[in-house]
Amino acid sequence: MAKHRGRGVASINYPIGMNLGGDPSQALVHSNPDGKFTVALSSIDLGQGMKSVTRQIAAETLGVPVADVYVDTADSDTGPHCMGSFASRGTHRVGNAVIAAAKEARGVMLEAAAEELEVNAEDLETDGKGNIHVRGAPQRSISVADVAIAAQFRQGKTISGRGIFLIPLSDVDPETGEMTPVSCYAHACLVADVEVDDETGEVTVLEMNSAYELGRALNPKLVEQQLVGGAWMGMSHALYETTEPHYPSRENGAVDFNEYLMPGPGDIARHNIAVLERPAPDGPFGGKGPGEMCANPVLPAVANAVFDAIGVRINDLPISPERILRALKTRDGISH
Amino acid sequence: MTKTPLQFRLNGAEKAVFTEGGQNLLDVLRREVGDFAPKYGCGQGACGVCTVLVDGEPRLSCLTLAETVQGQAVETTSGLADGPELHVLQTAFMEHFAAQCGFCTPGMLMAAKALLDTNPTPSRDDVVEAISGNICRCTGYEPIIDAILDAAHNRRRSA
């Protein structure tokens, strides 16, 4: 009876979004008379930070402070259409839609400002602090709030913009069967070090080292947050979580948190992460987004590490103590 | 059904409500008092999102009979901030990105407060132990542990 150490590696190419019906997302941007902007989306932020990232994207494109942008994702009945928050598509698809909508709104905003300043809209620029001025002549300036008031009450203009992102549909080539399922891939590699106890069948993840290439990290702290939390979930799927019955039938399956197991704060492994940024040509400001890829490489890396430790392949998840002990018995020719 | 009068302090304010026999503290806080900070998760004491402090001790309010807090002091995350001034734990949670969906956060904060109130210099293991009854699905715990250790450090510095 002993504890065996093993190391496993997994590398993945991960598709961002999908290509069903072009995978569209829409965004609507409008200003209120106080010069603050609202971005309406139907994509839901479940805590991954999409509201923060789309807010940054809208502010950057409009040329206004982040504090002056509010992202409203409340209602998919009344908001513009979106395929949803899944398939790691949020940052890329929704971000691109927000850029398109914010560009159009910026155009109207600059037209309205041009009318107030009696200049050509092409000669105007934003300072990112809530002002618009003539390029090269910053004293010829008007605040975004004053432009919004003028547009609303004098010019009769709506400072608003519509945006949609739709990727070209890729049909299957009848000769070769070839198609382009997605337009953009992220990449990752993860090394897992584990310890397998051949008496109890327990697997402990000792350390993870990973590198993720996910385009430009639009909000580095949010990216790190996703990678740390996602790896935990990957570890949980690899070793703990299952709704399967243990013995002998489904009625004995997990029904609550006492039986549906997850690693707790005492079970987490040290995780060193390197984020590699290769801006994606078709991503919003080069971003692809971390998405589900945070969790994915952990599972094969842990399975490979278990193989390295005890020389048996576990082909079903999770790699539970029961599966380890059964596999060891099979390896050693002991009948069950 | 017979209703029983119940008096207790909630975040420093006197509360008087009528409870039904067998009603748990979480139910009283959310339905009778209208403090929605403690969450209803599993309802059987396994997830920790309903954690509140009773006379400074962390308690799973879903498993605590309301009548048992008669005359005692109950604390929830609603009482953490002092007006616009966030509690040192709240600031640390923000700075360490220790919340994502946020459902576990009220329970985590109260478990952490109970720890810091009794142990101002906790080790990493102390923090892990203190939040081991609280489940988080998003963060992988690491940012929460870091936030609590940082809050302990900041509290000592400003004391």
Side-chain angles (χ1 to χ4, degrees):
Chain A
M1 297 301 165
K3 289 181 175 181
H4 308 270
R5 290 207 170 183
R7 171 171 288 180
V9 183
S11 298
I12 61 171
N13 296 318
Y14 187 73
I16 298 299
M18 51 180 191
N19 193 19
L20 301 171
D23 199 17
S25 277
Q26 292 187 32
L28 295 174
V29 172
H30 74 272
S31 92
N32 302 314
D34 59 359
K36 314 277 193 224
F37 285 83
T38 300
V39 180
L41 304 170
S42 292
S43 341
I44 299 302
D45 189 340
L46 303 156
Q48 310 93 323
M50 204 189 62
K51 278 178 109 165
S52 306
V53 168
T54 48
R55 189 182 187 195
Q56 287 174 251
I57 290 171
E60 186 74 22
T61 309
L62 287 162
V64 302
V66 171
D68 289 354
V69 176
Y70 174 73
V71 178
D72 181 24
T73 61
D75 193 342
S76 56
D77 276 347
T78 55
H81 182 262
C82 178
M83 295 298 283
S85 300
F86 61 92
S88 310
R89 60 189 295 289
T91 298
H92 190 271
R93 301 296 197 261
V94 183
N96 275 320
V98 169
I99 287 182
K103 266 187 185 161
E104 189 171 284
R106 178 186 165 89
V108 183
M109 176 177 80
L110 294 182
E111 287 292 340
E115 202 169 316
E116 292 305 302
L117 292 171
E118 298 178 13
V119 295
N120 195 325
E122 283 154 24
D123 296 332
L124 292 175
E125 61 185 13
T126 46
D127 68 354
K129 295 171 187 151
N131 300 297
I132 299 166
H133 56 242
V134 177
R135 194 173 293 113
Q139 71 281 8
R140 295 272 287 150
S141 175
I142 185 169
S143 71
V144 173
D146 284 341
V147 173
I149 291 167
Q152 168 85 342
F153 295 106
R154 196 158 45 238
Q155 301 177 14
K157 281 197 180 102
T158 62
I159 299 181
S160 62
R162 306 151 298 166
I164 183 164
F165 186 71
L166 179 72
I167 59 171
L169 270 174
S170 170
D171 288 327
V172 179
D173 186 309
E175 296 293 321
T176 62
E178 191 181 325
M179 70 173 293
T180 308
V182 289
S183 65
C184 178
Y185 284 89
H187 313 276
C189 181
L190 187 137
V191 182
D193 289 295
V194 305
E195 191 170 73
V196 183
D197 186 323
D198 67 11
E199 187 173 12
T200 64
E202 274 181 292
V203 178
T204 308
V205 179
L206 302 171
E207 186 172 318
M208 293 185 276
N209 287 284
S210 65
Y212 287 85
E213 191 286 297
L214 31 73
R216 178 176 288 164
L218 299 181
N219 186 322
K221 281 299 283 184
L222 284 179
V223 165
E224 184 192 328
Q225 177 191 50
Q226 287 304 295
L227 295 176
V228 171
W232 172 87
M233 201 181 279
M235 190 176 128
S236 191
H237 287 313
L239 299 175
Y240 294 80
E241 293 178 43
T242 177
T243 56
E244 278 182 10
H246 300 288
Y247 300 102
S249 64
R250 184 151 286 279
E251 293 84 76
N252 300 315
V255 293
D256 58 28
F257 289 136
N258 293 318
E259 294 168 341
Y260 188 86
L261 301 179
M262 291 176 275
D267 304 313
I268 52 180
R270 187 164 61 239
H271 186 187
N272 306 305
I273 301 170
V275 174
L276 312 174
E277 296 180 274
R278 277 176 50 214
D282 70 341
F285 298 103
K288 298 172 187 174
E292 288 166 20
M293 189 181 66
C294 305
N296 294 347
V298 183
L299 288 79
V302 167
N304 285 338
V306 168
F307 175 71
D308 186 43
I310 57 172
V312 290
R313 283 275 169 210
I314 312 285
N315 295 318
D316 296 291
L317 292 169
I319 304 170
S320 59
E322 179 190 341
R323 289 202 167 106
I324 292 277
L325 294 178
R326 285 183 189 279
L328 287 174
K329 280 186 175 175
T330 304
R331 180 194 71 179
D332 300 336
I334 300 164
S335 63
H336 293 304
Chain B
M1 188 177 282
T2 319
K3 298 224 175 185
T4 317
L6 169 69
Q7 276 182 284
F8 61 100
R9 280 196 311 288
L10 177 62
N11 301 319
E14 289 294 334
K15 296 287 168 191
V17 295
F18 285 100
T19 67
E20 289 174 11
Q23 204 173 9
N24 65 48
L25 178 59
L26 177 65
D27 206 45
V28 165
L29 289 172
R30 291 178 62 89
R31 289 197 206 190
E32 314 297 337
V33 181
D35 184 348
F36 295 101
K39 305 294 177 217
Y40 180 88
C42 65
Q44 54 177 216
C47 74
V49 297
C50 67
T51 305
V52 301
L53 305 191
V54 177
D55 281 351
E57 290 280 320
R59 285 273 192 91
L60 297 164
S61 62
C62 78
L63 295 186
T64 302
L65 270 179
E67 295 159 41
T68 64
V69 304
Q70 173 70 35
Q72 296 187 305
V74 177
E75 291 171 70
T76 69
T77 39
S78 303
L80 274 187
D82 181 9
E85 288 292 310
L86 291 182
H87 189 274
V88 64
L89 276 164
Q90 291 172 308
T91 308
F93 267 58
M94 229 167 59
E95 285 171 355
H96 286 269
F97 286 65
Q100 287 187 38
C101 84
F103 200 75
C104 77
T105 311
M108 287 288 182
L109 283 168
M110 296 325 283
K113 181 170 190 293
L115 172 70
L116 297 199
D117 285 351
T118 51
N119 179 3
T121 54
S123 67
R124 199 171 183 85
D125 285 346
D126 293 335
V127 173
V128 165
E129 179 69 28
I131 62 164
S132 60
N134 297 66
I135 292 177
C136 171
R137 187 58 167 164
C138 308
T139 64
Y141 298 100
E142 197 85 47
I144 296 174
I145 298 167
D146 290 342
I148 296 170
L149 284 169
D150 200 31
H153 177 76
N154 290 338
R155 185 186 250 192
R156 286 197 302 275
R157 221 173 34 184
S158 63

